Amino acid sequence: MSRVVIEAGRSETQYWKDLWRYRELFYFLAWRDILVRYKQTTIGIGWSLIRPLLQIVVFTVIFGKLAGLPSERLPYPLLVCAAMLPWQLFSNGLLECSNSLISNSALISKIYFPRLVVPTSTLVVCLVDFLISGVILAGLMAWYHVSPSWRMLTLPFFIAITCATAMGAGLWLGALNVKYRDFRYVVPFIIQMGMFLSPVGFSNRVIPEKWQLVYSLNPLVGIIEGFRWAIGGGPANFLRIECLYSLGVVAFLLIFGIWYFRRTERFLVDVM
Amino acid sequence: MKDTAILVENLGKKYLIRHQRTERYAALRDVMMERIKSLGQRLLTPLNGQSNNSTREEFWALKDVSFEVQQGEVLGIIGRNGAGKSTLLKILSRVIEPTKGRVVLEGRVSSLLEVGTGFHPELTGRENIYLNGIILGMTRTEIRGKFDEIVAFAEVEKFLDTPVKRYSSGMCMRLAFAVAAHLETDILMMDEVLAVGDAEFQKKCLGKMGEVASRDGRTVIFVSHSMGTVNQLCTRTLWLADGKLMAAGNTAEIISRYLTNNTSAEGKCAWKDGISSAGVNEFKLFSISVLAPNGEISSNLDIQKPFTVRIHYKFYRDLPFCRVGFLLRTPTGTTIFEVYDADEEPWAGQRRAGEYMVHCEVPADLLRPGRYTLTISAGMPGVKNFVNLESVLTLDFEETRTLNSLMLTPRSGIIFPKVKWKQ
């Protein structure tokens, strides 16, 4: 028979074991979110395609045609697409992650489970969205006769880093969101600014050399660079020191995010 | 030989209450303002270190609570609003962490702090059964095994593939309870789940709970305001007051002690500044008193004479569908009757702001002699509760008309009306 000991400040020790024990809840929450997301909409999963598609069109016209920015070796729409998809994954993940605690507060304040289950399961929905919008990428590649290479096999790695970034920042902002509701307004703002601060609509090369180091503190820089490399080839820019910086920032975000989340988790329900 | 299922030692939960603050959660700007203010204060009055602590106050929602529950026991927890019942249950079900103390739970625990937790209106009945089951701690295989049983109990076969948002509230309740009732855990904790639903379904739930508790020797903790239910279900009962454990023991004994304590014996209970539930600002109750036929306030009454209940309250704005009234209960928790001032036609619950003094005359020759408690309740039914004070007054009815029937055999029955016989 299992034995549970509750002591002030002691729930720590069983935490990671519990997380494993509650994996079914994780699946089901993700499953619920996926079901609910498309249930009441008429276009259904079409939304996962329309939004990025329109954004790609707009960015291509503005940055590629009007501003006439260089596109390097990829056709401009593909250049934007290779960045837009991971960006959408990141921004949706960040938004959902940071809102998940509040939107599930009814559940959280009534039932015990490791709270990490909630924000991480919302990431699954974003990932599904991302995979669906992969159709756009495939379509564009076929249209521009860009044949996939072995480099595509590295994509899961970059996807994982994107998720880690979204999760790290999302956990941190999510925990802050419970404590200070102001963060509800901060997150969309971060996302809006981040879209232009990351090389989504333009190539990385547009940024002057001397700013590259500072620029790559933005973890999305390395990720987007990686995506573009995996799809279009070219020099492995993401292996440069700047992009390792990105990776370092991601690792820091994730560890800090989880640490902060765990710290807040203990009195989460008390302030909810 | 029974084993201990739950061991609680010196459990305590402390909250910090901040005064001058109405929001439950902080906004960053407030925190920053407060920091700046207190910094300024500290700079201006460096010797007075206490000044910024004055807005905070410690509050023990639960203090030094220790008890033990044997395996297979059905334990009731009673107490007034704010006595710490829900806090205790939340700690036991690990939703919140204790500030002090230790709890040991032997076996799998599931808690039911609210019926239908995690129900999603967009999902179908079938999907919700799975989701809710998982949330409550069942595994997928367990749910699959019990699926038909759950559906049959909830009586929703026809609507399994309909989104729950199209269900009536009764159906929703039935489904939620059905899932919960089929939980296969060693320890089950429940909070007031039976407070809703129609009488017939409540009876069914009670039956199911009794069956579940007695059959598998599982441990049940049951928190409720309904003395009748606690009396019926629980073998042992804890009584909490202001976060402390007042007494523990045999259910009937604890309930009668609980009901007769805490009440004023003089037949009047008054609050100078008025009283209402937390978060209510449209209503205040000022006093409730019981009057004997001669107009005097008294708690010793005669069953052969009518008596009057007088309630003094105030509405701070115009409101629809409001009612103020009271319940008369026996010490074991059986409700004799429940009446409201809005029951009378011309009122229809439509209220103007202002003070009210209502009188309710209860007819003579109705009650059985003995002790009763009076509970006051005001609110908008199904919408909001303005005030709910359990057993504010205790009334004693003297045996002025003999209870014994002919040949001195005692009479049974809940009430003792004077009836007319004709030949």
Side-chain angles (χ1 to χ4, degrees):
Chain A
M1 203 185 266
S2 60
R3 163 188 262 234
V4 180
V5 180
I6 307 169
E7 233 170 341
R10 203 195 127 153
S11 57
E12 297 290 320
T13 48
Q14 306 147 336
Y15 194 79
W16 301 105
K17 220 166 73 191
D18 271 0
L19 202 60
W20 174 246
R21 208 186 295 161
Y22 280 83
R23 64 190 182 281
E24 261 197 344
L25 181 64
F26 172 83
Y27 303 143
F28 267 81
L29 284 180
W31 168 79
R32 175 197 72 177
D33 289 344
I34 293 171
L35 272 184
V36 169
R37 186 164 180 124
Y38 300 120
K39 240 180 185 176
Q40 245 196 342
T41 54
T42 30
I43 317 182
I45 49 176
W47 282 112
S48 317
L49 295 175
I50 290 170
R51 276 194 318 172
L53 197 62
L54 285 179
Q55 267 173 314
I56 290 167
V57 170
V58 170
F59 273 43
T60 305
V61 170
I62 291 177
F63 290 107
K65 294 279 183 291
L66 296 182
L69 294 176
S71 76
E72 291 188 75
R73 59 194 70 243
L74 283 170
Y76 215 91
L78 206 49
L79 179 95
V80 176
C81 179
M84 189 58 81
L85 298 195
W87 170 257
Q88 290 264 334
L89 173 60
F90 167 76
S91 61
N92 285 344
L94 182 67
L95 194 66
E96 301 282 330
C97 227
S98 57
N99 280 335
S100 59
L101 289 177
I102 303 286
S103 51
N104 283 295
S105 60
L107 196 59
I108 287 173
S109 58
K110 297 291 178 197
I111 305 278
Y112 168 79
F113 52 87
R115 305 324 188 181
L116 259 176
V117 168
V118 167
T120 46
S121 76
T122 58
L123 267 181
V124 177
V125 185
C126 303
L127 206 57
V128 169
D129 255 1
F130 170 79
L131 292 178
I132 293 169
S133 59
V135 172
I136 301 173
L137 181 66
L140 281 175
M141 284 175 77
W143 180 261
Y144 288 104
H145 302 294
V146 178
S147 48
S149 68
W150 62 270
R151 285 186 295 267
M152 294 283 274
L153 294 177
T154 59
L155 275 182
F157 169 71
F158 294 114
I159 295 171
I161 298 178
T162 317
C163 289
T165 317
M167 193 171 131
L171 286 179
W172 183 50
L173 290 170
L176 280 171
N177 205 355
V178 176
K179 267 168 89 178
Y180 312 110
R181 300 292 162 104
D182 305 35
F183 279 87
R184 201 171 12 176
Y185 310 115
V186 175
V187 177
F189 180 69
I190 292 176
I191 289 171
Q192 210 176 18
M193 297 294 283
M195 181 127 138
F196 293 99
L197 290 176
S198 309
V200 178
F202 44 84
S203 158
N204 219 1
R205 302 295 109 223
V206 173
I207 308 297
E209 195 63 35
K210 60 174 177 175
W211 292 110
Q212 284 286 342
L213 205 68
V214 180
Y215 192 53
S216 53
L217 282 178
N218 176 353
L220 265 301
V221 172
I223 290 168
I224 290 172
E225 194 87 328
F227 262 81
R228 285 183 177 148
W229 170 81
I231 290 159
N237 275 336
F238 64 91
L239 280 181
R240 298 184 332 163
I241 187 77
E242 285 93 333
C243 293
L244 293 178
Y245 265 12
S246 289
L247 217 54
V249 174
V250 173
F252 168 76
L253 263 180
L254 187 63
I255 292 167
F256 178 74
I258 292 176
W259 173 80
Y260 192 83
F261 186 84
R262 290 284 298 116
R263 230 181 53 132
T264 317
E265 192 178 3
R266 296 176 45 192
F267 55 88
L268 206 62
V269 178
D270 295 332
V271 293
M272 219 156 212
Chain B
M1 178 68 201
K2 284 190 171 177
D3 300 317
T4 305
I6 304 171
L7 181 70
V8 175
E9 285 168 345
N10 302 319
L11 204 63
K13 175 77 186 174
K14 184 175 74 177
Y15 283 102
L16 283 176
I17 312 179
R18 298 199 183 99
H19 294 298
Q20 306 172 323
R21 170 154 310 159
T22 46
E23 316 93 301
R24 272 208 303 176
Y25 49 85
L28 187 61
R29 67 185 145 86
D30 295 340
V31 174
M32 288 195 309
M33 276 310 290
E34 209 167 89
R35 291 265 161 84
I36 293 168
K37 251 195 265 174
S38 68
L39 183 72
Q41 239 166 22
R42 232 176 296 163
L43 286 174
L44 290 173
T45 52
L47 292 176
N48 190 357
Q50 299 290 316
S51 63
N52 61 340
N53 286 338
S54 62
T55 56
R56 287 176 162 216
E57 191 187 312
E58 278 187 9
F59 165 72
W60 288 88
L62 214 56
K63 201 167 187 185
D64 289 330
V65 172
S66 307
F67 62 92
E68 214 175 291
V69 187
Q70 302 298 316
Q71 209 176 13
E73 200 167 35
V74 182
L75 180 83
I77 300 178
I78 58 173
R80 295 185 157 210
N81 286 338
K85 304 184 300 284
S86 296
T87 308
L88 176 60
L89 214 58
K90 279 190 172 177
I91 291 176
L92 290 182
S93 54
R94 300 168 72 193
V95 172
I96 54 178
E97 253 192 32
T99 318
K100 258 181 65 187
R102 184 163 181 264
V103 179
V104 182
L105 302 162
E106 299 282 355
R108 261 176 73 194
V109 183
S110 61
S111 57
L112 203 56
L113 302 192
E114 191 183 69
V115 165
T117 311
F119 260 43
H120 201 291
E122 291 291 339
L123 300 181
T124 66
R126 183 190 305 277
E127 288 161 348
N128 266 313
I129 290 179
Y130 275 97
L131 183 66
N132 197 229
I134 295 278
I135 285 171
L136 293 175
M138 287 170 154
T139 64
R140 213 178 327 178
T141 32
E142 264 172 23
I143 301 169
R144 205 172 295 140
K146 299 228 160 196
F147 192 84
D148 294 334
E149 231 178 293
I150 293 174
V151 173
F153 186 86
E155 302 160 17
V156 292
E157 291 93 339
K158 271 190 254 168
F159 310 99
L160 262 186
D161 295 303
T162 313
V164 163
K165 65 177 173 186
R166 308 231 184 284
Y167 279 32
S168 72
S169 57
M171 278 159 71
C172 229
M173 283 284 318
R174 287 208 301 270
L175 188 63
F177 185 86
V179 178
H182 291 82
L183 280 172
E184 283 281 305
T185 48
D186 307 308
I187 302 173
L188 179 63
M189 303 187 199
M190 288 186 287
D191 191 355
E192 295 267 19
V193 285
L194 297 170
V196 263
D198 59 38
E200 197 188 332
F201 186 66
Q202 278 191 21
K203 222 163 102 187
K204 193 171 165 185
C205 295
L206 271 178
K208 179 79 190 167
M209 281 170 56
E211 178 194 320
V212 161
S214 60
R215 186 190 54 199
D216 335 318
R218 78 153 63 148
T219 316
V220 179
I221 291 192
F222 182 63
V223 166
S224 181
H225 275 129
S226 159
M227 295 306 138
T229 317
V230 171
N231 201 16
Q232 200 172 337
L233 275 181
C234 306
T235 42
R236 223 161 60 92
T237 297
L238 298 184
W239 168 20
L240 290 179
D242 299 326
K244 287 188 274 289
L245 187 64
M246 296 292 282
N250 176 278
T251 298
E253 184 196 317
I254 298 290
I255 287 181
S256 85
R257 270 178 68 189
Y258 164 70
L259 287 179
T260 46
N261 186 281
N262 279 337
T263 54
S264 98
E266 305 91 41
K268 176 169 181 165
C269 222
W271 297 267
K272 216 175 88 212
D273 303 319
I275 186 172
S276 58
S277 301
V280 171
N281 47 24
E282 56 269 65
F283 175 88
K284 282 254 187 299
L285 171 72
F286 290 98
S287 77
I288 174 157
S289 29
V290 174
L291 311 172
N294 60 4
E296 264 176 33
I297 292 172
S298 165
S299 65
N300 282 310
L301 301 157
D302 183 343
I303 52 164
Q304 293 199 78
K305 301 227 171 81
F307 68 96
T308 303
V309 177
R310 190 176 68 192
I311 309 172
H312 176 198
Y313 59 88
K314 186 172 177 181
F315 275 105
Y316 289 85
R317 55 189 172 88
D318 296 354
L319 284 169
F321 315 122
C322 295
R323 61 180 197 185
V324 180
F326 64 92
L327 291 83
L328 202 68
R329 292 201 176 122
T330 65
T332 50
T334 309
T335 305
I336 305 292
F337 62 79
E338 176 178 0
V339 287
Y340 294 97
D341 56 1
D343 295 341
E344 293 297 318
E345 216 2 83
W347 296 60
Q350 198 75 33
R351 292 308 167 84
R352 299 240 153 257
E355 266 187 78
Y356 292 82
M357 178 82 89
V358 290
H359 294 79
C360 171
E361 192 184 284
V362 181
D365 290 314
L366 172 71
L367 299 168
R368 210 179 142 87
R371 177 165 270 200
Y372 295 87
T373 67
L374 197 143
T375 292
I376 185 155
S377 160
M380 302 164 82
V383 181
K384 197 166 183 181
N385 184 14
F386 295 150
V387 78
N388 189 18
L389 298 171
E390 288 282 333
S391 320
V392 272
L393 295 177
T394 304
L395 308 177
D396 284 305
F397 286 86
E398 304 294 328
E399 187 172 340
T400 51
R401 183 157 61 102
T402 178
L403 249 189
N404 292 335
S405 50
L406 205 61
M407 311 301 291
L408 303 176
T409 50
R411 203 184 294 267
S412 65
I414 299 172
I415 55 171
F416 184 35
K418 195 167 203 171
V419 291
K420 285 200 175 78
W421 292 93
K422 274 183 188 162
Q423 218 166 17

